[in-house]
Structures are given as C-alpha cells and as structure tokens.
Amino acid sequence: MPHAMRLPDIYAQTDFALSFELFPPKTEAGLEALFGHADRLMRFAPSYITCTYGAGGSTQDKTLEIAARVRREYHLPVATHLTCVGRTADQIRDYLRRAQEADVQNVVALRGDPPQGETEFRPVAGGYSYANELVDMIHHDFPDMGVAVGGYPEVHQEALSAAADLDNLKRKVDAGSHAVITQLFYDNADYFRFRERCDAVGVNVPIIPGLLPVTNVAQVKRIASLCGAQLPADFLGLLEGASEDAAAQFEIGVQQATAQSQGLIDGGVPGIHYYVLNKSEAASRVLEAVTLSDR
C-alpha cells in the first residue's frame, strides 16, 4: 500500500475533496456498526476520513485504532483529531509518532474544549495553551504530516470579537496549517462571508465547510447550542412542526442539507466535510442528490 497522502496534496490534486468525520463508539457492537456505515459511505469515493475523540482525550487510543483500521481497510488517507487537553507536549509527540507508525499522516489540530464540569480551558504543566502552539510543534517536529485546523463562520464562542477570532485563525495557519475545516453551520451566507474575511487577511489555504445533516430536531438544537451555530428560523419551524414525526424530521433535514450542499458546491468550495455521527443514511441521501458536474 503506498504511503498515505497529506492534506495539502489532496487539495492540490482535486477540485472537490469529499470527507467524513467519525468518532470512536463505546462498544464493540457500535464499532462494527460504524464500519458497516463506513462501507456504505465508501461508494461516494471520499478523499479522506477523520476520527475525533472524546472530551479530555478520553478515547485517544481508540481514535488511533479506528483511524489505522480505516487506513488499512479502505486504503484512504486518514486524519486523527488532536487537542491540547490533558496532555503534555511530550505525550502529544509520542502520540504523533504512533500515528505515523500506523500510516496516519494527517492531523486535525485543535485546542479542545474544557473537560466536563469546567468552564474554561487550562493547560496542563508542560502542555500547550493554544492550537497555534500545537500546529507549530507539528510543523517543526513532524514536517511530513498534513495539518487542518478549525474555523468558525459564526465566530468561536470564547472569542472577544469576530476580528480577534480571525486573528487567531491566521496565527494557526501561519504556524503551518494546510487547511481549515469549519464548525457546522446552516446558512451558507455565513460561510461565504467567512471565506471573504479569511481571504482579506491572507488566510490562503482551503476553507472546507463542515456540515451536519439534521436528522432529529432535539439533537441538532443541543449540538447547535454547544457550538454557537444558528438554525435559520424557517428551517427550525419546519423541524418543530414535525416534532412528533421522526421520519418527517429526517426528510426535512435531508432536503435542507442537500440544498445547502449544492449551494456550496455551486459556490466553488474546495470540498465538504460531513459530520456523519457514525451513520450513513442522511449523508448518502444528500450525496445521491447533489451534482458536481458543473465543476
């Protein structure tokens, strides 16, 4: 099997790179179900897969196992999420060495959220306080790895202002990031505004929209509240009107995600990263409905 491609090469070689995010299930049954869904997603020929981990790094080793299995079984490039939470710089370097040994050649580098029950992020002694410090270390100590970072079309909840948030993003990119994957959003105008603002300050790497197709109104309200994403009023109204009908909520969500995806594709995005929540049905429906033929 040839060496895995790095993110900068993936985006340099294609006009549109499809990708999916998975997360480690808690049980063996969940793990097998995950790979059943992954099998179904493979028919859309994704360019790479990412795997996140639990709060505080609680599933970090399982994340690496899943990323390595995806790499072995599907021969796809993979990216492991990596945060600054609860790990010293030396522990993070050790993790990256193990990742490279498993041919996991890409990282989604994040500061990470505070552990459950805490309201603000505190670095451990000998750790990193900010994602740009993590990116800088990867860039210098693991120069063969591809690096993506997070971006926030609706502004990070802890940012003092939109301008400060953008300054922080530029620091991460200047430290050596190859791509930006956005937080989920539901109004494409937010993404296109964000892309223009990135361009204006010299953030000149691919800005990849991250989308979460809605399948359940209560779930998306909770997720959106956690990350500060706004749900358009008309879309939320349709979902709430179908609050007693799970199948109708699913159909409304698929229609919205299809329209949102097609609008982004038509607007020339370099790819779309789907947060699939370890399922395949909604993303499959969306990807069956959109067209890339005009690209």
Side-chain angles (χ1 to χ4, degrees):
M1 184 167 60
H3 220 38
M5 285 180 70
R6 298 161 64 245
L7 290 171
D9 304 317
I10 291 168
Y11 287 107
Q13 292 182 21
T14 182
D15 288 337
F16 183 87
L18 173 66
S19 55
F20 301 115
E21 179 186 289
L22 309 176
F23 66 86
K26 292 185 171 139
T27 65
E28 281 301 312
L31 184 63
E32 292 316 303
L34 165 61
F35 276 88
H37 287 291
D39 285 345
R40 291 188 280 279
L41 292 171
M42 286 305 129
R43 65 193 173 99
F44 300 104
S47 294
Y48 65 94
I49 300 288
T50 74
C51 190
T52 185
Y53 56 71
S58 55
T59 61
Q60 201 177 55
D61 289 337
K62 184 65 79 174
T63 293
L64 199 50
E65 286 175 29
I66 290 172
R69 181 173 163 184
V70 168
R71 174 73 186 135
R72 286 194 311 272
E73 293 193 12
Y74 304 121
H75 298 181
L76 273 181
V78 288
T80 175
H81 283 226
L82 187 60
T83 75
C84 305
V85 178
R87 296 289 186 275
T88 66
D90 286 342
Q91 287 172 321
I92 291 171
R93 286 188 188 92
D94 178 64
Y95 180 84
L96 290 169
R97 281 190 284 270
R98 289 190 289 127
Q100 285 194 312
E101 287 166 6
D103 204 20
V104 176
Q105 298 294 343
N106 298 288
V107 177
V108 180
L110 308 162
R111 187 204 67 182
D113 296 324
Q116 198 164 11
E118 297 184 24
T119 55
E120 60 182 76
F121 178 86
R122 290 187 180 87
V124 299
Y128 298 116
S129 300
Y130 301 103
N132 66 287
E133 298 170 342
L134 176 58
V135 173
D136 184 67
M137 182 275 286
I138 299 169
H139 181 65
H140 286 97
D141 293 4
F142 298 86
D144 292 336
M145 298 194 89
V147 183
V149 294
Y152 301 88
E154 297 174 84
V155 183
H156 192 283
Q157 287 175 300
E158 293 178 33
L160 296 176
S161 66
D165 197 33
L166 203 59
D167 286 344
N168 185 45
L169 178 61
K170 183 158 170 56
R171 275 192 292 276
K172 293 189 287 189
V173 172
D174 289 348
S177 308
H178 301 114
V180 174
I181 300 174
T182 79
Q183 181 63 271
L184 60 92
F185 60 94
Y186 291 95
D187 184 342
N188 285 355
D190 290 323
Y191 169 83
F192 290 120
R193 245 190 324 268
F194 177 63
R195 188 171 70 174
E196 286 176 8
R197 294 175 59 243
C198 287
D199 188 54
V201 299
V203 173
N204 54 2
V205 297
I207 311 291
I208 316 305
L211 297 188
L212 172 66
V214 172
T215 56
N216 174 285
V217 63
Q219 178 188 59
V220 78
K221 277 184 175 178
R222 182 178 62 81
I223 292 172
S225 70
L226 287 172
C227 63
Q230 297 299 309
L231 293 166
D234 54 348
F235 176 44
L236 185 57
L238 287 172
L239 286 169
E240 289 178 331
S243 60
E244 302 301 316
D245 187 340
Q249 289 176 55
F250 182 89
E251 291 300 323
I252 291 163
V254 163
Q255 288 172 21
Q256 191 276 343
T258 300
Q260 192 178 3
S261 297
Q262 192 66 60
L264 291 165
I265 291 164
D266 294 345
V269 295
I272 298 178
H273 187 67
Y274 287 96
Y275 302 110
V276 296
L277 301 182
N278 288 4
K279 304 287 187 184
S280 58
E281 295 88 354
S284 294
R285 286 276 304 278
V286 170
L287 291 166
E288 285 161 359
V290 297
T291 176
L292 299 171
S293 59
D294 293 334
R295 296 296 297 270

